[in-house]
Amino acid sequence: MTDRSADAFLYAKASGMLAKSFVGSRMASLFSATSLEGLWELLFRSEVPLVPDFVLVQMIERRAEKRFLEGFLSLVSKYIKPEGFFVDLLHFYDYNNLKTILASLGSAETSGEFLSELPSLGRYSMLNYAGWPSLESMTARTPVSWCAEALESMDMQDIRSRLDSQYVRSLWDGASRLKGETGVLVKKLLKEELVLNNIVWGLRLRSYYGMSQDDALEQLVATTGCKSVGALYRNELTKPAAQVLSLPLDSYRDWENWKYSHLLNPQEEGVEWSVDPRWIQRTARFDLYKRALRQFHRHPFTAHVIYCWFKVKQYELDCIRMVAEGIRLKVSPAQVGKFAGIEVV
């Protein structure tokens, strides 16, 4: 199948998959679930396993994640040679799996049985899971081969931070290599997400850890080539964060003219206000989901729909996790829905 015909075919296929998903108008039914058993039946239309609640939550999350990945793999595999960017998207799970593997190496449990529970990317995986327990074998000839040596000289948190930055930069570089309309659309949506992620993380560092503006800025992810704080103030991924990290955290008036002021936690009369990074993150994720859903339908015969599908389904997966954990913790559907920005009637 040529890439042009694949785009047309994949839009039809992806549209059918979204029609069966709990997104758009169907999302409210997801947040209306009142029991784990009911959530299982709603999602999977099969007999509910007879297991304790905490186990059932894990099973729901893993099965939903497996279905999400299988769906995305089925779309990407229709291309003769998929764009590197779409494979890089999948590597999010390799990077997360690697963090789990690194944590296991320092624990008493190193049997490797947990590997079977990690998300599988099949032939698109960059890690050699058969190389367990040798980290060097698992990461050989991959962009993360440095991890094996770094274990002896770097703190685990620093390794995780470097992995996060490396993944983001691989996505940015992959998006920059996309051509034509697809490249323009993908990069614009990705940039919006990365900019907002930097803003949220910078605000967290300032709010919760008392970091200065410059110190927080140095912890953010920029495009390559930023070797000074000054360069971070000019970089397209970190500049928007730099512009707000200097604002007072407890003055709503100073934030009113911010480009993203619609993401702010509201000011309540008689209540002392301070910026809430968690509120901004939650609202930003919902906004990005809605934007991806709109763009999916506006650009039907481009490869951009694959990226939009990924972001929409990724948000659905997050919502499934929220609902499952909310039920387990006995939080009302209305409260869980409010947390996600969904009105539950």
Side-chain angles (χ1 to χ4, degrees):
M1 185 180 293
T2 66
D3 284 353
R4 180 170 297 182
S5 60
D7 288 341
F9 172 79
L10 289 179
Y11 175 67
K13 181 178 175 64
S15 294
M17 294 165 76
L18 282 190
K20 299 176 183 177
S21 302
F22 294 92
V23 300
S25 61
R26 296 191 75 221
M27 186 170 281
S29 63
L30 179 65
F31 284 88
S32 297
T34 57
S35 69
L36 291 174
E37 292 78 11
L39 179 61
W40 179 281
E41 292 173 347
L42 178 68
L43 292 171
F44 309 125
R45 304 293 181 185
S46 63
E47 187 176 347
V48 183
L50 297 176
V51 295
D53 281 358
F54 76 94
V55 176
L56 188 55
V57 167
Q58 294 175 349
M59 292 179 69
I60 288 172
E61 293 178 358
R62 286 173 184 160
R63 183 163 175 176
E65 183 175 63
K66 183 174 183 289
R67 186 165 66 180
F68 160 59
L69 282 174
E70 287 176 346
F72 189 70
L73 287 169
S74 73
L75 294 174
V76 171
S77 63
K78 294 297 184 293
Y79 288 104
I80 298 172
K81 184 179 180 182
E83 293 282 1
F85 173 77
F86 298 123
V87 178
D88 289 337
L89 268 179
L90 281 168
H91 287 165
F92 170 84
Y93 291 94
D94 272 333
Y95 277 91
N96 270 6
N97 289 350
L98 181 56
K99 292 176 194 175
T100 301
I101 289 167
L102 289 170
S104 75
L105 292 175
S107 68
E109 277 192 44
T110 55
S111 64
E113 292 181 7
F114 70 96
L115 292 176
S116 63
E117 299 178 351
L118 298 179
S120 174
L121 304 182
R123 64 189 178 94
Y124 293 106
S125 177
M126 69 177 180
L127 299 177
N128 173 27
Y129 293 93
W132 170 268
S134 168
L135 188 62
E136 187 174 355
S137 296
M138 297 183 77
T139 61
R141 296 179 296 281
T142 75
V144 293
S145 59
W146 56 269
C147 282
E149 185 176 343
L151 274 179
E152 299 180 7
S153 58
M154 290 178 65
D155 179 82
M156 188 62 72
Q157 184 55 46
D158 290 336
I159 293 177
R160 292 171 65 90
S161 179
R162 181 175 169 182
L163 286 171
D164 289 339
S165 297
Q166 183 172 318
Y167 172 69
V168 169
R169 290 195 178 104
S170 73
L171 274 188
W172 184 254
D173 291 343
S176 300
R177 288 190 292 270
L178 291 170
K179 298 178 182 179
E181 184 182 12
T182 293
V184 173
L185 293 168
V186 167
K187 196 169 183 181
K188 185 177 180 180
L189 187 59
L190 176 63
K191 179 182 176 180
E192 189 78 356
E193 180 179 10
L194 299 183
V195 162
L196 287 169
N197 285 348
N198 272 336
I199 289 171
V200 169
W201 183 233
L203 288 175
R204 282 178 177 270
L205 294 174
R206 280 210 62 208
S207 300
Y208 306 149
Y209 301 99
M211 281 193 181
S212 68
Q213 179 181 359
D214 286 355
D215 287 343
L217 200 58
E218 289 182 316
Q219 301 300 313
L220 307 185
V221 180
T223 56
T224 54
C226 289
K227 298 182 179 179
S228 67
V229 173
L232 291 170
Y233 277 86
R234 298 186 297 272
N235 187 267
E236 59 185 318
L237 297 186
T238 52
K239 181 179 177 180
Q243 292 170 339
V244 297
L245 288 178
S246 62
L247 297 178
L249 300 177
D250 57 356
S251 172
Y252 187 83
R253 179 175 297 179
D254 287 284
W255 290 81
E256 284 182 317
N257 295 320
W258 180 40
K259 176 182 177 181
Y260 300 104
S261 60
H262 63 285
L263 301 178
L264 290 170
N265 49 302
Q267 185 179 41
E268 300 178 38
E269 188 175 350
V271 178
E272 186 174 333
W273 182 89
S274 62
V275 65
D276 186 347
R278 294 169 301 178
W279 183 288
I280 295 175
Q281 181 182 37
R282 187 166 66 244
T283 311
R285 285 167 62 191
F286 184 59
D287 275 12
L288 285 166
Y289 146 74
K290 290 192 296 183
R291 186 173 303 183
L293 189 57
R294 287 194 302 268
Q295 291 185 15
F296 176 89
H297 295 293
R298 288 178 182 173
H299 307 282
F301 304 118
T302 69
H304 182 51
V305 300
I306 307 302
Y307 181 46
C308 291
W309 189 95
F310 185 91
K311 299 312 297 182
V312 168
K313 292 290 288 184
Q314 195 173 51
Y315 188 75
E316 179 200 37
L317 184 60
D318 287 343
C319 288
I320 290 171
R321 291 178 177 132
M322 274 189 268
V323 172
E325 290 294 343
I327 293 172
R328 185 180 70 87
L329 296 173
K330 295 180 170 53
V331 179
S332 73
Q335 287 178 294
V336 178
K338 183 178 179 181
F339 184 82
I342 307 297
E343 185 177 351
V344 179
V345 180

